[in-house]
Amino acid sequence: MQPESWPEPAPVVAWAVRAKNYGRVVPLPVAVRDRLGELFPDVEFAEAFGSTGPAGWSPGRLALVTVFQMVENLTDRQAADAVRDRLSWMYALGLDLADTGFDHSVLSQFRTRVVEHGLEEKVLDLLLARLVGLGLLAAGGKARTDSTHVVSAVRDLNRLELAGEAVRAAIQVLAAAAPDWVAAVVDVPGWTARYDTRVDTWRMPTSQAKRDQLALAYGRDGHALLAAIYDRRSPGWLAELPAVQTLRVVLLQNYTVTVDARGREVVRRREKASQGGDGLPPGHLRIASPYDIDTRWSVKRDMFWNGFKLHVTETCTGEPCDNRARPNLITNVATTEGTVPDAAALEPVHARLADRGLGPAEHYVDSGYASADNIVAAKSDYGIALITPVLLDNSAQARAGAGFAAANFTIDFKHQSATCPQGAHSSSWTPAIQRGNPVIVVKFANAVCGPCPVREQCTTSAIGRRQLTLHPAAATQALRARRTEQTETRWQTDYALRCGIEGTIGQAVTVTGARRARYRGITKTRLEHNYSAAALNLIRLHAWWNDQPLDRSRTSHLARLELSLAA
């Protein structure tokens, strides 16, 4: 691929587009080409493509096709057909009427090359940089962020199904890669009966005893297969196959192998430590499917899913541009494993916004992102005021609204001392680590608390004295200030600005199907979300350019056809 500038729209295509849309709003692809020009230059993707070999399609134009594909929620085949059939797409891509386009499989090859070279965010970066140049985006102002669940593109499997499918996936790959080796080491008729079809095509035994027997059979088969693969007489490259490595991890996470008194290996299934078993790995490490080793089971309130999380950040400044309020535009999307807490995802979001030069002055997020450390770090590291409700003091005194809560104590961090409401001073000040976070444990002496006339309003501890657990100075001060602020009507009215992000996530779900991954693996899912964000920004810009209200419920042509037929 040799980078080159996109050709101008063919005259006959341009004439047809203008004639068909005379007096009407031009289609989105036409408006994008007219106003933004060559949005994704080939040179930005050059590192992902060879400079020699057969000529290929322009990667910059394939990127634009993929964005248009997200705008209308099309499949690869439908997108490839649109390149050949639609005048508006031809105009945007600079094609003439005789251009035959490309086979739909080219889009999959394009995505694979992009993620292999770490360019999945390139499209959104280029679009945001262009909008900064047009004055539609700038640092400062206000932004808001929220997250939603994303269901993976693989079938949900329980532990029994996972074990069987991991063995099946490995043996199928081995049968294709080394059929002679498989025929020599495996009981082909017996294994064919057990692993020829997917586990979801037949019914599992209803008896618990039979399910346990099947689970042990999967474990024994898996370990026997690995023993044959790692045998010194077997080709070494067999062990390097991804499906074999996945099987090895799945067996390690779900089975144990011991040696009995006779020296024989005994395969046992792992169970939870609380049930007397050997224990299971933590959820953020546990493989949930042999076909997507990045997906994880996760839970949020009453939602339980297998997949990822999507964090969406958009502007909400309302500042004028061209005598109109700027459109709210998505400035960042972050795709994480489903087990990553929202609070842990906030710092990377701020870092990415800073890299793009789009860090906000005020950032509105819900309580899932809130922590004392995040509030302090956002201000000190990025100059961002984090507008978020924090959890209230959950001590017994604060919950009851009676007695002396931690807020009633005067804390002197400089002299490492605390003073209770009765004027007594603490006896010890001890830095510590609790759940991986730095804290300060402050204790009062028994000699002080014992004779205190209001001790029952302060503590019911069996040891008879008060103890406080504090965050470091900056975090404690931030928490106390925020707990006071969020009870005020003015703060609550200002914080209502955050709720607009719910509509943006709703638009992402409706237009691009953001809650269900199109592709396997977190890198391709991250690519999908970045291209979807670019698509939503183009939809919003198209509405803003034409002074039209934004339709957050836009559906694809196929969905609209389905609705019309149903009517």
Side-chain angles (χ1 to χ4, degrees):
M1 191 279 298
Q2 298 295 332
E4 57 184 27
S5 299
W6 298 6
E8 291 296 319
V12 64
V13 174
W15 176 86
V17 166
R18 302 302 179 196
K20 285 181 173 292
N21 294 284
Y22 180 76
R24 300 168 56 192
V25 173
V26 297
L28 182 147
V30 176
V32 169
R33 182 60 192 261
D34 287 343
R35 291 179 178 269
L36 301 179
E38 185 180 351
L39 186 53
F40 308 129
D42 287 348
V43 69
E44 298 289 345
F45 301 88
E47 65 184 271
F49 297 86
S51 57
T52 60
W57 240 71
S58 157
R61 287 193 277 179
L62 287 174
L64 187 61
V65 168
T66 306
V67 172
F68 289 163
Q69 177 185 7
M70 297 296 177
V71 168
E72 304 202 29
N73 202 11
L74 304 177
T75 64
D76 286 354
R77 192 180 297 274
Q78 290 170 330
D81 290 341
V83 171
R84 286 188 292 271
D85 300 340
R86 295 193 192 174
L87 287 173
S88 59
W89 286 43
M90 294 178 188
Y91 182 92
L93 298 169
L95 304 179
D96 59 38
L97 292 177
D99 198 299
T100 58
F102 52 82
D103 185 80
H104 70 277
S105 61
V106 170
L107 289 173
S108 176
Q109 297 169 12
F110 166 75
R111 292 191 297 267
T112 299
R113 283 183 174 269
V114 166
V115 299
E116 285 177 349
H117 290 78
L119 299 175
E120 56 266 25
E121 297 183 6
K122 178 64 71 173
V123 158
L124 186 58
D125 288 340
L126 292 172
L127 176 58
L128 295 177
R130 180 66 59 87
L131 298 180
V132 169
L134 294 175
L136 290 173
L137 285 174
K142 300 179 180 182
R144 51 197 176 197
T145 296
D146 201 4
S147 67
T148 188
H149 67 278
V150 178
V151 178
S152 63
V154 293
R155 181 183 180 273
D156 293 344
L157 301 173
N158 58 38
R159 288 184 60 208
L160 174 58
E161 293 170 332
L162 171 63
E165 197 64 20
V167 177
R168 194 186 81 86
I171 196 65
Q172 293 286 347
V173 169
L174 290 167
D180 294 337
W181 179 88
V182 170
V185 302
V186 170
D187 173 21
V188 175
W191 282 52
T192 299
R194 196 148 52 229
Y195 300 110
D196 189 50
T197 58
R198 298 199 316 264
V199 295
D200 62 331
T201 60
W202 52 279
R203 181 174 296 179
M204 286 286 175
T206 56
S207 164
Q208 182 62 48
K210 290 184 177 180
R211 287 199 297 271
D212 291 341
Q213 291 176 2
L214 184 58
L216 291 177
Y218 287 151
R220 295 189 190 103
D221 287 347
H223 281 93
L225 183 60
L226 287 182
I229 291 171
Y230 283 94
D231 187 281
R232 60 184 179 82
R233 292 166 294 183
S234 299
W237 58 268
L238 294 180
E240 299 177 5
L241 293 172
V244 172
Q245 291 298 313
T246 300
L247 172 62
R248 185 177 64 83
V249 177
V250 168
L251 292 178
L252 180 64
Q253 293 182 345
N254 291 277
Y255 295 89
T256 60
V257 180
T258 57
V259 179
D260 64 11
R262 297 182 180 181
R264 296 177 301 184
E265 288 189 346
V266 178
V267 177
R268 293 189 297 112
R269 201 178 185 198
R270 287 184 180 272
E271 299 296 344
K272 296 179 180 178
S274 60
Q275 298 175 352
D278 300 286
L280 295 170
H284 70 280
L285 297 177
R286 199 180 309 168
I287 289 179
S289 170
Y291 305 110
D292 186 347
I293 60 174
D294 296 324
T295 184
R296 295 290 184 268
W297 284 104
S298 186
V299 61
K300 184 176 181 179
R301 293 188 291 272
D302 58 345
M303 173 66 66
F304 190 57
W305 78 96
N306 181 22
F308 313 97
K309 271 187 183 180
L310 169 63
H311 302 262
V312 181
T313 302
E314 71 169 353
T315 60
C316 51
T317 61
E319 295 177 1
C321 179
D322 296 338
N323 298 320
R324 293 178 293 167
R326 288 176 180 171
N328 292 334
L329 298 170
I330 297 173
T331 53
N332 189 72
V333 287
T335 308
T336 67
E337 290 84 0
T339 54
V340 175
D342 288 354
L346 186 62
E347 196 281 333
V349 169
H350 285 165
R352 197 70 189 93
L353 290 171
D355 290 343
R356 289 171 170 155
L358 295 174
E362 297 179 354
H363 194 183
Y364 293 75
V365 295
D366 65 18
S367 58
Y369 295 90
S371 73
D373 292 337
N374 279 349
I375 293 173
V376 173
K379 193 65 177 178
S380 61
D381 297 346
Y382 302 101
I384 297 174
L386 198 62
I387 313 300
T388 175
V390 298
L391 295 178
L392 299 178
D393 185 353
N394 62 357
S395 66
Q397 297 88 342
R399 291 197 307 269
F404 303 122
N408 299 122
F409 288 71
T410 303
I411 310 298
D412 186 346
F413 285 93
K414 181 178 180 180
H415 297 96
Q416 298 186 350
S417 175
T419 304
C420 78
Q422 295 297 107
H425 298 287
S426 58
S427 61
S428 69
W429 179 283
T430 308
I433 299 294
Q434 290 185 1
R435 299 177 182 175
N437 298 314
V439 297
I440 300 166
V441 178
V442 180
K443 296 180 180 179
F444 288 79
N446 284 14
V448 171
C449 293
C452 180
V454 293
R455 181 168 66 86
E456 292 183 356
Q457 300 179 44
C458 188
T459 181
T460 57
S461 170
I463 60 177
R465 64 179 182 178
R466 184 63 185 265
Q467 175 177 307
L468 301 175
T469 301
L470 306 174
H471 293 280
T476 297
Q477 293 164 2
L479 275 178
R480 291 191 170 188
R482 183 55 46 83
R483 285 169 177 164
T484 301
E485 290 174 355
Q486 66 191 40
T487 61
E488 301 173 357
T489 303
R490 179 189 59 78
W491 187 93
Q492 295 170 358
T493 302
D494 185 39
Y495 180 69
L497 189 64
R498 189 212 68 87
C499 67
I501 192 66
E502 305 286 356
T504 296
I505 289 179
Q507 184 189 22
V509 172
T510 302
V511 176
T512 68
R515 282 205 180 112
R516 183 168 292 277
R518 286 172 172 250
Y519 320 119
R520 297 177 184 176
I522 194 170
T523 53
K524 281 197 174 180
T525 303
R526 185 175 293 119
L527 175 144
E528 174 192 350
H529 292 155
N530 276 273
Y531 278 69
S532 296
L536 295 177
N537 279 344
L538 293 183
I539 291 172
R540 293 178 171 204
L541 287 168
H542 189 237
W544 186 76
W545 286 331
N546 294 285
D547 288 321
Q548 292 180 335
L550 179 63
D551 182 6
R552 296 181 185 270
S553 61
R554 280 190 60 174
T555 54
S556 67
H557 290 288
L558 187 62
R560 286 198 293 271
L561 176 60
E562 182 180 355
L563 291 173
S564 64
L565 292 176

